[in-house]
Amino acid sequence: MMKIDVLTLFPNMFSGVLNESILKKAQEKQAVTFNIVNFRQFADNKHQTVDDYPYGGGAGMVLKPQPIFDAVAHLTKECEHQPRIILLCPQGERYTQKKAEELAKENHLIFICGHYEGYDERIREHLVTDEISIGDYVLTGGELAAMVVIDSVVRLLPGVLGNEASPVLDSFSSGLLEHPHYTRPADFRGLKVPDVLLSGNHRLIEEWRQKESLRRTFLRRPDLLENYELTDQQKKWLEEFKKNER
């Protein structure tokens, strides 16, 4: 079972997200446990202050190292496995499906959600193992980013999705975007499902899906193809797409 601790100043933000849909089912299946901790309780002053003015001046407040260091020490004092300690911040590495798959192999994750202007640099340099950014934009805090990472990781845990093939076939897991999907009715207001999907020929259906996956990637995210090793058949399809583009 994976253990996930979240250090935050706003624990109520997580109650709805963690207790609905797949994340709720993951807990019911005992694939994961969540522990949401308000790190203000670890502040060593009577007012439970967790931030202070930055040395050298400047706008905003900075999170102090003491509450976060002590909170992490409390969460790890009896750990059997060294946890990954994840800082959510705009300066972190861009989050990807590959990173989600990497984190899904861990036994224990600790997320640190900041607020205000930033963190004392000693938290970044001497406490965390990973810094993650979910995109090139700035949020008011790390909570929403932590939720995104948690959702993407937990759905990969064994047994969580039910169909073990589901996460393997997701966009980005194979290196390409996922192929289009259709369901009933076969004809919706004159908009028809491709004939091949109704043929019952599984070989042709799989070939169509592979081709459409490559087509969608070429049209929407050609950057993903730069380091992707194409098969001979995929190379032929790609040339076909390029000709059609001309």
Side-chain angles (χ1 to χ4, degrees):
M1 181 187 297
M2 174 181 279
K3 180 180 180 183
I4 295 180
D5 295 306
V6 180
L7 297 178
T8 173
L9 295 174
F10 301 93
N12 291 338
M13 290 182 66
F14 289 86
S15 58
V17 172
L18 301 184
N19 293 297
E20 296 289 346
S21 188
I22 296 299
L23 296 182
K24 180 181 179 181
K25 292 179 181 178
Q27 294 174 80
E28 293 172 346
K29 293 180 178 181
Q30 298 186 331
V32 64
T33 61
F34 296 114
N35 178 34
I36 310 302
V37 178
N38 188 335
F39 62 83
R40 191 180 296 280
Q41 65 186 285
F42 291 92
D44 62 358
N45 59 86
K46 66 178 182 179
H47 299 296
Q48 291 190 309
T49 303
V50 296
D51 61 317
D52 209 335
Y53 294 102
Y55 279 123
M61 303 292 280
V62 176
L63 286 172
K64 300 166 65 173
Q66 176 272 317
I68 295 177
F69 268 80
D70 285 359
V72 170
H74 174 77
L75 294 172
T76 58
K77 63 182 178 182
E78 296 181 358
C79 283
E80 296 181 11
H81 306 280
Q82 180 64 33
R84 297 281 283 272
I85 303 173
I86 300 164
L87 192 71
L88 289 312
C89 63
Q91 300 97 325
E93 69 171 288
R94 178 83 69 87
Y95 192 56
T96 64
Q97 184 68 21
K98 182 178 179 181
K99 187 71 172 183
E101 293 167 359
E102 176 189 325
L103 294 177
K105 298 174 183 177
E106 298 291 332
N107 295 295
H108 187 186
L109 302 176
I110 298 177
F111 291 87
I112 303 175
C113 306
H115 250 73
Y116 313 117
E117 183 64 23
Y119 307 92
D120 185 290
E121 189 67 14
R122 288 163 290 191
I123 297 170
R124 192 190 309 275
E125 291 182 345
H126 302 289
L127 187 62
V128 306
T129 60
D130 301 81
E131 296 180 49
I132 288 177
S133 167
I134 62 169
D136 295 340
Y137 48 88
V138 179
L139 300 170
T140 56
E143 285 78 13
L144 293 175
M147 294 175 201
V148 168
V149 177
I150 288 169
D151 184 273
S152 64
V153 169
V154 170
R155 67 187 298 279
L156 296 175
L157 299 180
V160 168
L161 291 183
N163 184 346
E164 296 301 320
S166 293
V168 177
L169 299 176
D170 287 336
S171 291
F172 303 111
S173 292
S174 67
L176 302 177
L177 299 183
E178 195 172 9
H179 58 77
H181 293 276
Y182 295 88
T183 188
R184 292 180 289 185
D187 186 333
F188 175 68
R189 300 176 183 177
L191 306 173
K192 298 182 179 180
V193 171
D195 290 338
V196 64
L197 298 179
L198 308 176
S199 69
N201 187 320
H202 296 294
R203 183 186 64 79
L204 290 180
I205 290 172
E206 180 59 27
E207 182 179 275
W208 179 88
R209 286 174 172 169
Q210 290 181 14
K211 184 175 182 179
E212 292 307 308
S213 175
L214 182 64
R215 186 198 308 275
R216 179 160 287 185
T217 306
F218 168 70
L219 293 175
R220 301 186 181 189
R221 288 293 304 277
D223 57 295
L224 295 177
L225 297 176
E226 292 176 4
N227 298 310
Y228 185 81
E229 189 172 341
L230 296 167
T231 65
D232 290 340
Q233 180 61 68
Q234 287 173 323
K235 290 176 182 177
K236 292 179 181 178
W237 288 336
L238 192 58
E239 285 303 312
E240 176 186 326
F241 303 153
K242 290 178 179 178
K243 287 180 181 178
N244 290 336
E245 281 289 290
R246 300 189 195 108

